[in-house]
Amino acid sequence: MELNKTNTQNAVNHSRKKMSVRDMTTMAILAAIAAILFMLEIVVFPAVPFYKLDFSNLPVLLGAFAMGPIQGVLILAIKAILGLLHSTSGGVGELADFIVGCGMVIPAGLIYHRNKTRAGALTGMLAGTVCAILAAILANYFIMFPAFGITEEALVGMGSKLFAGVTDTWSFIFYITALFNLIKFVIISVVGYLIYKPLSPILHGHAKRH
């Protein structure tokens, strides 16, 4: 009886170790994909060239759904570190992206892992999108604009080319920053929602072998 108990415990420990190694491998792969996607940027508003659309948070979201919000944050952190290797912003852009990414991945991952249904995924992504927009507003106002010396006059000059309502920093943030991040995270959420289930077996290491 004691021997069987020991063997069972050893099997459990081995399974946990295997799971941990698999998770770390998956996290590394997703972080590498995210880092590559981070370099493939698209300018959405030509008048505001520093806002570029990328899909690097898509692998992060998939990782958070598959493994949990903590793993999602770790994937974000690895992506940020890899981004520093070719950063043109002195790490400021990577820091802001990490903060905004956490705004998305933490609530989305937490909600989905408490309710692993389509409704849970949608609720999580909706909450994540709202939190990411709020995080982007704070990151831009307190980090990005001061770090790059972007004045209110410059913001108004760029933003008013798109929306006549941009007359100061906060109207720029409302019309441009919030809108840009809404577009970005809605796209990421829609794509994530469509591809997560098909990719779920691979992310969980249950892919069919032929």
Side-chain angles (χ1 to χ4, degrees):
M1 179 67 72
E2 186 65 31
L3 182 60
N4 289 338
K5 183 177 180 180
T6 301
N7 289 338
T8 300
Q9 186 62 43
N10 288 338
V12 170
N13 291 337
H14 177 72
S15 177
R16 286 177 177 173
K17 182 178 180 181
K18 183 178 180 180
M19 179 75 71
S20 177
V21 171
R22 188 189 70 209
D23 284 355
M24 287 190 291
T25 302
T26 302
M27 287 165 55
I29 293 172
L30 290 174
I33 295 172
I36 293 172
L37 292 176
F38 195 40
M39 294 186 289
L40 305 176
E41 301 173 319
I42 304 170
V43 176
V44 178
F45 304 136
V48 189
F50 55 83
Y51 281 163
K52 299 177 182 179
L53 178 66
D54 69 84
F55 300 98
S56 62
N57 283 315
L58 178 57
V60 178
L61 178 64
L62 296 176
F65 275 3
M67 295 173 284
I70 294 176
Q71 288 85 344
V73 172
L74 290 175
I75 295 170
L76 262 178
I78 297 170
K79 182 191 79 169
I81 293 171
L82 292 174
L84 290 174
L85 300 177
H86 54 82
S87 176
T88 58
S89 65
V92 175
E94 286 71 25
L95 174 61
D97 179 78
F98 177 78
I99 293 171
V100 177
C102 284
M104 174 66 176
V105 72
I106 293 175
L110 283 172
I111 292 172
Y112 180 72
H113 274 263
R114 290 179 179 177
N115 181 20
K116 292 188 177 182
T117 63
R118 290 185 181 276
L122 288 172
T123 303
M125 289 185 292
L126 176 61
T129 296
V130 172
C131 290
I133 292 172
L134 294 175
I137 290 172
L138 295 175
N140 276 268
Y141 187 78
F142 290 106
I143 299 175
M144 293 287 288
F145 297 162
F148 293 119
I150 304 176
T151 63
E152 182 171 81
E153 181 181 1
L155 292 173
V156 172
M158 291 183 287
S160 60
K161 294 178 181 178
L162 295 171
F163 299 99
V166 176
T167 57
D168 55 24
T169 299
W170 283 107
S171 57
F172 177 93
I173 287 174
F174 176 78
Y175 283 107
I176 310 296
T177 305
L179 177 60
F180 169 77
N181 284 278
L182 175 63
I183 294 171
K184 175 179 178 177
F185 287 101
V186 165
I187 293 174
I188 288 174
S189 295
V190 170
V191 176
Y193 181 81
L194 293 175
I195 70 174
Y196 176 67
K197 284 300 181 182
L199 292 179
S200 183
I202 298 174
L203 295 171
H204 288 94
H206 300 147
K208 293 181 179 180
R209 298 180 180 179
H210 299 282

